[in-house]
Amino acid sequence: MPDLTDKQTFSDEDALEFHRLPTPGKISMAPTKPMATQRDLSLAYSPGVAVPVQAIADDPDRAYDYTAKGNMVAVISNGTAILGMGNLGHMASKPVMEGKSVLFKRFADVDSFDVEVKTTDPAEFVTVVKNIGDTWGGINLEDIKSPECFEIESQLQDLLDIPVFHDDQHGTAIISTAGLINACHVAGKRLEEVKVVLSGAGAAGLSSIALMKAAGVRVENTVIVDRDGVVYRGRPGVDQWKAAHATDTPHRTLAEAMVGADVVLGLSAKGAITKEMVASMAPRPIIFAMANPDPEITPEDVLSVRSDAIIATGRSDYANQVNNVLAFPYLFRGALDVRARQINHEMKVACAQALAALAREAVPDEVAAAYRGRQLKFGPDYIIPTPFDPRLIWYIPPFVAQAAMDTGVARKPIEDMDAYRVQLRERVDPSAALMQKISSAVRGAPNKRIVFAEGEEPSVIRAAWGFKQAELGDPILVGREDLIRQNAAEAGLNFDDLGIEIANARVSHLNADYTDWLYERLQRRGYLRRDVQRMINQDRNYFGAAMCARGQADAMVTGVTRNFNMVLKEVRRVLDVTDRMIGVSIVLAKGRTLFVADTSIHELPDAPELAQIAIKAAATVRKLGRTPRVAFLSYSTFGNPPGDRGEKVREAIRILDRMDVDFEYEGEMPPELALDPDQRANYPFMRLSADANVLVMPAIHSAAISTRLVQALGGATVIGPLLVGLEKSVQIVPLGASVSEIITAATFAAYEDGVQTEG
């Protein structure tokens, strides 16, 4: 299986230490149920476990309901073909199999563990796996040599009622087929007409040519070549798997077969393809040199003789990496979610076609970040999606699931595919459900006009494009039109397609009105008219905020090129605070959604300010469709230990006690008391009816440090801080924010301007 990373330099000792420290291996088990009390143990094991045992005994399919089977895949090997290193034994394969399990979890939230079988006898291997196969929802076979792998997979597919998938065969086949579909698209060729030559008739090669035929390549247009030459009909000594792909051809060598060929697939060895062979191919040749670690021919050598070639390899340091991680996690995700009995040809073709379609769409900013800022755009150097594309988890599995349903191998059909896509987003992005709700509300409301103040920045341009394309509102880019259009064109965006508005502050017809209005507002604060005119003409934050204040726009997003405090000072000279301005960060972790305040405005709030922060945060949370339950956090618990800062929090509680507020609140308390019902049981006087979801911090430093800490540690998503309390919604993103962060901020800005969700 190819690497996932860019080309790196590391020593053998580095690799050994990575696998040894801090804990040997790469996987461990984490329980999904609490194990803190005697009751928990009784439910998890004896006597409580007897109930699901009997249910499964009565109906074995109930194992999907009461055990982890439905989201569990076994990665099984005998180590006879480890990473192209050969037969090194079953235990030598364990680091690879653990790695495969990690990839299942990382990319598709599929639980997995490895099984190494101590036999090289195919029949014995089949017997072992057959007898334990019902444990899992699917089986991924790995690093088993050819031709035994064909026999093993075929028999297990017949013997077991779950998906059995040999990734070395089919993973490469799916990715290379997706690449071929798009390479033909770029080269202006049709699948039904291309002549395809395969160099290397092993497991991956034969599966690749078979899947390409299923996708549309004609049998008579294929030639396969093994180490003994062309596999032609009637050639003696050819096994049944190669013979199934033999064709009537006069060619006897790879060099002969490649003359005039449109496509060559390399799944053989370094040096198998020469420059002369490439030079003899048809115009716009498609060359997939996928041998690892060294391809059959390097891209540099190909381009030295054919500048019109479209090239893919198995390596991450070249464009168009054929990487199996693009297929197997998402193929199994879709298969598991419909409880498929097998992974059939139609599901593999659907996966390949979905990958090809995804590569033709605009590439999100997160991908550029993962690939060191390299901008990817569909074309000769980008025909296959990249492994770190965040859309893969929700884009690919629905196609696989639908194919399983259409071909009758799904036990549990999906009724609402749109809802399924939302669920898939949530598996790796806990913010997806919240953002889906807010985005849906924004789309359902009349279009909001949102100012993107730093409109010349490429990331802002792409965000405005994405915002408009997602039908979230009408973006207004502030900046010089010629530069905006130039940067848009370089990003492959045609503004005429979507009609995105551009406002040049320096030459706008609105300047005179904005200057008059802002001068009247600021003249008694020491500003001369020329100062105000310069602010409107030259500073896009002033101009954008004035657009909101004067009714030409509804909300604004900014901050990509300036720090938060500077932007806030500029915006506040133009816009008033309605009641109380605060920053709210949203923390999503382990199934919880927590709102933390104040994370950006009040450095050391006093008791009245803490009370007002709680009121404003509760109103914000209610507007987001949640019932607020406020906990005032502190180092102390109801006065123990005593201290001035704890007293400030207690005074805030007393202030709220004298007010008629419409939300639950309690304090002061540490975080565990706010979030753990067992801890709260020790304090029967507490007024919270359930876990708190609004955490009011005693100072900005504790709020900022805590949210950034959980984000840095991983396992949590933090949105914000979101700015609330200005007369017009303005969201200030972090310096250098990504396209996704800018779109999220713009969506919240539109939402904050008056859109409501259902509770």
Side-chain angles (χ1 to χ4, degrees):
M1 185 177 59
D3 272 343
L4 286 179
T5 57
D6 290 333
K7 192 174 183 180
Q8 301 284 351
T9 301
F10 54 81
S11 68
D12 290 353
E13 187 58 32
D14 290 336
L16 292 173
E17 293 238 331
F18 175 86
H19 288 82
R20 182 171 63 89
L21 300 174
T23 301
K26 299 186 288 293
I27 59 176
S28 64
M29 187 190 81
T32 61
K33 301 295 188 294
M35 292 290 137
T37 67
Q38 182 62 42
R39 182 176 186 273
D40 294 338
L41 296 178
S42 297
L43 286 168
Y45 198 54
S46 182
V49 76
V51 182
V53 165
Q54 187 59 55
I56 295 170
D58 296 339
D59 179 3
D61 274 355
R62 300 304 293 272
Y64 285 99
D65 300 318
Y66 301 127
T67 76
K69 173 173 178 167
N71 194 52
M72 182 73 74
V73 168
V75 180
I76 304 182
S77 180
N78 63 1
T80 53
I82 304 173
L83 294 178
M85 299 166 70
N87 183 359
L88 301 180
H90 69 293
M91 285 311 298
S93 74
K94 188 171 178 62
V96 183
M97 302 310 116
E98 284 189 358
K100 196 68 176 280
S101 296
V102 169
L103 298 183
F104 265 116
K105 188 64 177 179
R106 161 62 178 83
F107 288 99
D109 193 30
V110 171
D111 294 322
S112 173
F113 62 87
D114 57 298
V115 177
E116 289 74 37
V117 181
K118 187 181 178 180
T119 182
T120 58
D121 182 296
E124 189 175 0
F125 186 97
V126 167
T127 299
V128 169
V129 177
K130 177 195 71 173
N131 289 331
I132 61 176
D134 284 346
T135 302
W136 305 285
I139 291 174
N140 185 109
L141 300 174
E142 190 81 12
D143 288 357
I144 302 170
K145 73 182 181 74
S146 173
E148 287 91 333
C149 61
F150 301 117
E151 179 183 344
I152 288 170
E153 184 190 50
S154 177
Q155 288 189 37
L156 287 174
Q157 285 174 338
D158 291 339
L159 292 168
L160 294 172
D161 200 27
I162 58 173
V164 178
F165 179 84
H166 184 213
D167 186 47
D168 298 310
Q169 295 180 55
H170 308 300
T172 300
I174 290 167
I175 313 307
S176 59
T177 299
L180 179 62
I181 291 169
N182 279 344
C184 289
H185 187 94
V186 172
K189 301 184 178 189
R190 299 181 60 209
L191 273 178
E192 297 83 358
E193 297 173 354
V194 293
K195 177 183 176 183
V196 181
V197 176
L198 168 65
S199 171
L206 294 178
S207 293
S208 296
I209 204 73
L211 194 63
M212 289 174 183
K213 291 175 185 176
V217 173
R218 290 178 179 165
V219 174
E220 61 269 24
N221 288 342
T222 64
V223 176
I224 68 171
V225 184
D226 64 11
R227 66 186 61 189
D228 298 320
V230 171
V231 179
Y232 56 89
R233 282 186 182 157
R235 196 184 97 174
V238 175
D239 64 44
Q240 60 179 310
W241 296 282
K242 292 180 185 178
H245 299 284
T247 53
D248 290 320
T249 174
H251 305 312
R252 293 297 180 263
T253 66
L254 179 61
E256 293 174 5
M258 283 182 62
V259 175
D262 297 286
V263 182
V264 62
L265 306 175
L267 285 155
S268 50
K270 177 183 178 181
I273 298 173
T274 66
K275 292 183 181 181
E276 292 75 19
M277 294 177 188
V278 171
S280 73
M281 295 179 71
R284 298 304 306 272
I286 299 166
I287 299 156
F288 287 7
M290 296 177 283
N292 258 322
D294 298 303
E296 287 80 0
I297 184 169
T298 66
E300 293 87 349
D301 283 347
V302 171
L303 294 173
S304 71
V305 293
R306 295 300 297 265
S307 61
D308 60 341
I310 299 171
I311 310 165
T313 72
R315 288 175 50 153
S316 60
D317 50 342
Y318 292 118
N320 298 324
Q321 183 192 17
V322 178
N323 192 322
N324 287 13
V325 79
L326 289 166
F328 71 82
Y330 314 110
L331 189 68
F332 270 99
R333 180 75 274 156
L336 291 172
D337 290 339
V338 294
R339 298 183 185 174
R341 299 181 184 278
Q342 64 181 80
I343 292 174
N344 57 29
H345 236 27
E346 291 82 359
M347 294 162 72
K348 297 171 200 170
V349 171
C351 186
Q353 290 173 335
L355 284 165
L358 181 60
R360 294 194 293 270
E361 297 195 1
V363 181
D365 196 61
E366 293 90 338
V367 176
Y371 287 85
R372 301 181 182 180
R374 182 162 63 96
Q375 295 299 316
L376 303 171
K377 179 183 175 183
F378 181 66
D381 292 331
Y382 179 69
I383 56 172
I384 304 170
T386 60
F388 292 101
D389 191 322
R391 299 169 297 176
L392 288 161
I393 179 60
W394 58 263
Y395 195 99
I396 307 302
F399 287 90
V400 176
Q402 188 65 56
M405 291 155 57
D406 292 343
T407 55
V409 299
R411 288 186 184 89
K412 184 184 176 184
I414 294 169
E415 295 180 1
D416 187 339
M417 202 59 76
D418 289 335
Y420 176 50
R421 290 186 180 92
V422 173
Q423 293 168 8
L424 289 169
R425 285 177 184 261
E426 291 181 53
R427 281 190 172 274
V428 292
D429 180 8
S431 67
L434 177 66
M435 287 308 303
Q436 178 75 16
K437 186 174 186 179
I438 292 170
S439 297
S440 296
V442 170
R443 288 191 190 97
N447 269 14
K448 301 288 186 181
R449 289 168 54 81
I450 309 299
V451 174
F452 288 72
E454 297 142 309
E456 295 174 359
E457 296 297 312
S459 60
V460 176
I461 293 169
R462 293 171 63 203
W465 175 273
F467 186 79
K468 176 77 171 181
Q469 197 171 46
E471 299 180 344
L472 293 166
D474 296 321
I476 305 167
L477 286 166
V478 179
R480 292 164 289 182
E481 183 167 357
D482 56 346
L483 184 55
I484 290 174
R485 288 190 175 276
Q486 177 185 329
N487 288 341
E490 289 176 1
L493 308 177
N494 183 353
F495 272 23
D496 295 332
D497 290 346
L498 292 181
I500 293 177
E501 183 178 340
I502 299 173
N504 188 335
R506 187 179 295 275
V507 299
S508 173
H509 68 282
L510 299 170
N511 270 358
D513 174 64
Y514 290 176
T515 299
D516 291 343
W517 176 82
L518 188 57
Y519 177 61
E520 184 175 346
R521 177 181 172 85
L522 299 179
Q523 59 189 350
R524 293 186 179 275
R525 301 188 203 175
Y527 291 91
L528 300 176
R529 184 178 182 83
R530 66 170 181 262
D531 299 328
V532 173
Q533 190 167 30
R534 184 172 59 252
M535 290 155 66
I536 292 295
N537 285 350
Q538 298 181 13
D539 194 299
R540 289 156 196 167
N541 283 328
Y542 287 109
F543 184 86
M547 290 188 77
C548 296
R550 301 296 286 164
Q552 278 80 39
D554 298 299
M556 172 174 152
V557 61
T558 184
V560 174
T561 62
R562 298 189 191 181
N563 68 54
F564 181 92
N565 288 333
M566 180 181 294
V567 173
L568 184 59
K569 286 179 182 178
E570 293 168 347
V571 170
R572 286 199 60 181
R573 292 186 182 114
V574 183
L575 298 170
D576 289 327
V577 176
T578 53
D579 43 20
R580 172 70 57 178
M581 182 171 61
I582 65 170
V584 177
S585 292
I586 305 174
V587 178
L588 304 109
K590 295 185 177 180
R592 294 180 186 264
T593 301
L594 300 175
F595 302 87
V596 183
D598 169 29
T599 50
S600 61
I601 304 299
H602 297 85
E603 185 175 359
L604 288 169
D606 57 22
E609 287 174 328
L610 283 172
Q612 291 300 317
I613 288 169
I615 292 170
K616 188 66 178 180
T620 300
V621 170
R622 197 179 296 281
K623 188 174 182 180
L624 290 170
R626 307 294 177 94
T627 300
R629 292 182 296 277
V630 178
F632 287 81
L633 296 192
S634 174
Y635 65 92
S636 60
T637 305
F638 302 116
N640 183 32
D644 292 342
R645 295 191 179 184
E647 177 56 35
K648 181 176 63 174
V649 177
R650 290 191 291 277
E651 176 59 24
I653 294 292
R654 290 192 287 268
I655 291 171
L656 289 179
D657 287 344
R658 296 192 294 267
M659 303 174 69
D660 184 21
V661 297
D662 61 350
F663 57 88
E664 295 179 12
Y665 59 92
E666 187 59 281
E668 86 282 18
M669 67 182 77
E672 63 270 20
L673 202 54
L675 303 176
D676 185 347
D678 291 336
Q679 294 273 351
R680 290 197 300 278
N682 296 318
Y683 301 88
F685 57 84
M686 284 189 69
R687 292 176 284 193
L688 294 180
S689 61
D691 290 354
N693 56 5
V694 182
L695 307 180
V696 175
M697 295 292 188
I700 194 172
H701 59 268
S702 55
I705 291 170
S706 59
T707 53
R708 292 175 186 174
L709 180 61
V710 297
Q711 188 170 31
L713 288 173
T717 296
V718 178
I719 299 174
L722 304 170
L723 188 63
V724 296
L726 284 172
E727 62 173 304
K728 289 288 186 177
S729 181
V730 176
Q731 295 304 327
I732 304 173
V733 299
L735 277 168
S738 70
V739 171
S740 291
E741 288 174 316
I742 300 168
I743 293 175
T744 296
T747 306
F748 269 104
Y751 180 83
E752 179 67 15
D753 189 61
V755 176
Q756 296 283 350
T757 66
E758 296 179 3

